[in-house]
């Protein structure tokens, strides 16, 4: 893609409004809320347009903003699940291991099948609630890496952190998220066909 | 500590790190040896893989709403007005 692109915010509404709205609606289950989130996405994009360098498509860029707005939405609402509900001190991962370094809170055998749409929907609900319960930075790094699929190098550049710092944050995010998902019961249902 | 003697706390970090970078050969071997013997670390790895598959599905829109779930004309007009006022 060459140089800086001409940005026309009003054209975004016609071109990307429906796909962004469909994506948001599948995650909030309420048209009005989904509409508000899409509007916030466009407004945030207008404010951040100087940072859009045309390295990705406009659509990808807007989707990236929308995903963060969705996490913010869950964070602002009471539906957030706090990791503290499942481990006493989320600032320390030591609670997961005993003095010998063996698992103390043992990972469970998840029985969900990600291919099944019903479980995808169940997962989405748990996922956003747990993700929004993490600290802002931890949730952002996880979202960049696992939802948007950015490389750790790209994340480091974007947030101005080192690779080792990024790995530590990702480890922390994964540990807390998987524990939170277990805490809300994800992986325990629909498992009759998987041993 | 010998690389063959990793404990679960070290291994869990290495498993996570291996999803973001290529570990040195000796560490990869140590992790795999440990995984052969430790079902909890094996489960941990499975969980992280599943978390990644499903997070990517969240990101690529494979769980979008139906095609008929579109913005109304009035909603689009409202958005355009707000955008016009803010830009």
């Amino acid at each position: 893609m060459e140089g800086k692109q001409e940005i026309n915010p009003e054209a975004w509404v016609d071109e990307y409004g429906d796909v962004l709205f469909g994506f948001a609606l599948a995650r909030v289950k309420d048209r009005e809320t989904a509409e508000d989130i899409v509007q916030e996405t466009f407004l945030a994009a207008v404010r951040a347009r100087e940072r859009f360098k045309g390295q990705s498509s406009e659509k990808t860029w807007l989707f990236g903003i929308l995903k963060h707005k969705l996490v913010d939405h869950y964070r602002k609402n009471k539906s957030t699940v706090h990791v503290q509900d499942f481990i006493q001190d989320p600032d320390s991962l030591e609670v997961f291991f005993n003095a010998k370094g063996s698992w103390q809170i043992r990972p469970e055998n998840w029985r969900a099948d990600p291919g099944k749409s019903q479980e995808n929907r169940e997962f989405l609900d748990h996922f956003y609630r747990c993700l929004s319960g993490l600290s802002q930075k931890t949730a952002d790094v996880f979202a960049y890496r696992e939802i948007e699929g950015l490389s750790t190098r790209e994340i480091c550049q974007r947030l101005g952190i080192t690779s080792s710092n990024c790995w530590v944050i990702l480890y922390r995010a994964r540990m807390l998220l998987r524990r939170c998902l277990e805490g809300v019961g994800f992986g325990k249902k629909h498992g009759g066909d998987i041993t | 500590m010998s690389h063959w003697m990793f404990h679960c706390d070290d291994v869990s970090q290495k498993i996570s790190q291996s999803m973001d970078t290529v570990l040195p050969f000796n560490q990869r071997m140590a992790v795999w040896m440990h995984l052969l013997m430790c079902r909890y670390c094996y489960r941990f790895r499975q969980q992280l893989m599943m978390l990644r598959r499903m997070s990517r599905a969240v990101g690529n829109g494979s769980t979008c709403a139906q095609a008929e779930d579109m913005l109304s004309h009035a909603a689009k007009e409202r958005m355009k007005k707000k955008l016009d006022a803010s830009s």
Side-chain angles (χ1 to χ4, degrees):
Chain A
M1 200 167 288
E2 292 173 22
K4 204 159 189 172
Q5 292 184 330
E6 189 67 30
I7 287 181
N8 181 357
E10 285 185 45
W12 291 340
V13 179
D14 291 324
E15 198 160 350
Y16 310 116
D18 289 332
V19 282
L20 293 172
F21 178 71
F23 188 90
L25 187 58
R27 284 150 180 82
V28 296
K29 302 184 181 87
D30 160 10
R31 293 185 72 90
E32 201 177 331
T33 310
E35 194 183 307
D36 287 346
I37 292 172
V38 172
Q39 185 161 287
E40 281 175 31
T41 300
F42 286 138
L43 290 171
V46 168
R47 289 194 293 271
R49 61 185 158 186
E50 293 302 317
R51 293 208 296 271
F52 178 63
K53 297 185 177 74
Q55 289 163 332
S56 58
S57 72
E58 242 177 17
K59 186 178 172 185
T60 306
W61 178 60
L62 289 168
F63 261 103
I65 297 172
L66 175 71
K67 288 166 199 167
H68 284 271
K69 290 288 167 199
L70 280 163
V71 177
D72 287 345
H73 162 75
Y74 275 84
R75 185 175 283 127
K76 280 179 205 157
N77 286 278
K78 301 295 176 196
S79 54
T80 292
V81 178
H82 291 286
V83 185
Q84 291 92 317
D85 297 343
F86 309 110
I87 58 171
Q88 285 181 337
D89 179 10
D91 292 331
S92 167
L93 298 181
E94 286 173 10
V95 68
F96 286 99
F97 302 97
N98 62 23
K100 290 180 180 172
S102 299
W103 288 97
Q104 190 158 253
I105 303 175
R106 293 168 171 167
E108 291 168 10
N109 190 14
W110 285 3
R111 290 170 180 274
D113 177 354
K116 293 182 182 170
S117 58
Q118 185 189 0
E119 283 158 8
N120 254 332
R121 191 162 275 281
E122 180 190 322
F123 173 79
L124 272 181
D125 187 45
H126 295 324
F127 177 79
Y128 275 109
R129 290 166 66 211
C130 286
L131 186 60
S132 56
L134 301 180
S135 72
Q136 179 89 52
K137 189 171 188 181
T138 308
D140 282 350
V141 172
F142 183 87
Y144 284 138
R145 177 74 186 121
E146 300 293 36
I147 300 181
E148 293 183 44
L150 298 186
S151 68
T152 46
R153 208 170 103 185
E154 288 168 309
I155 298 170
C156 292
Q157 282 172 352
R158 193 174 286 200
L159 300 179
I161 55 177
T162 63
S163 296
S164 17
N165 197 348
C166 191
W167 293 328
V168 169
I169 295 171
L170 282 168
Y171 174 62
R172 176 181 182 71
R174 288 165 179 150
M175 283 291 273
L176 296 177
L177 258 184
R178 51 155 286 278
R179 179 62 194 142
C180 180
L181 287 168
E182 284 184 348
V184 295
F186 176 75
K188 287 180 181 166
K189 296 174 189 170
H190 318 297
D193 53 344
I194 302 171
T195 53
Chain B
M1 185 176 62
S2 159
H3 286 303
W4 306 104
M5 298 289 282
F6 272 152
H7 294 296
C8 301
D9 52 356
D10 302 312
V11 171
S12 63
Q13 289 178 46
K14 294 294 170 194
I15 290 170
S16 174
Q17 196 179 332
S18 73
M19 297 183 76
D20 309 307
T21 188
V22 179
L23 295 178
F25 180 75
N26 59 343
Q27 290 187 13
R28 282 208 304 275
M29 288 298 104
V31 167
W32 276 107
M33 287 299 289
H34 184 97
L35 285 175
L36 289 173
M37 295 179 292
C38 176
R39 68 170 153 165
Y40 299 115
C41 283
Y42 183 80
R43 280 183 188 174
F44 175 74
R45 184 171 178 277
Q46 298 286 90
Q47 288 186 352
L48 294 199
M49 307 283 267
M50 193 184 284
L51 197 54
R52 167 162 290 178
R53 280 200 300 275
M54 297 185 84
S55 304
R56 296 274 157 97
V58 168
N60 68 21
S62 65
T63 46
C64 271
Q66 300 301 307
E68 62 265 29
D69 289 325
M70 296 192 294
L71 280 172
S72 64
H73 179 71
K76 286 184 179 176
E77 288 307 308
R78 278 198 300 275
M79 283 185 192
K80 285 179 185 175
K81 273 186 190 163
K82 284 228 172 185
L83 280 169
D84 192 35
S86 72
S87 56

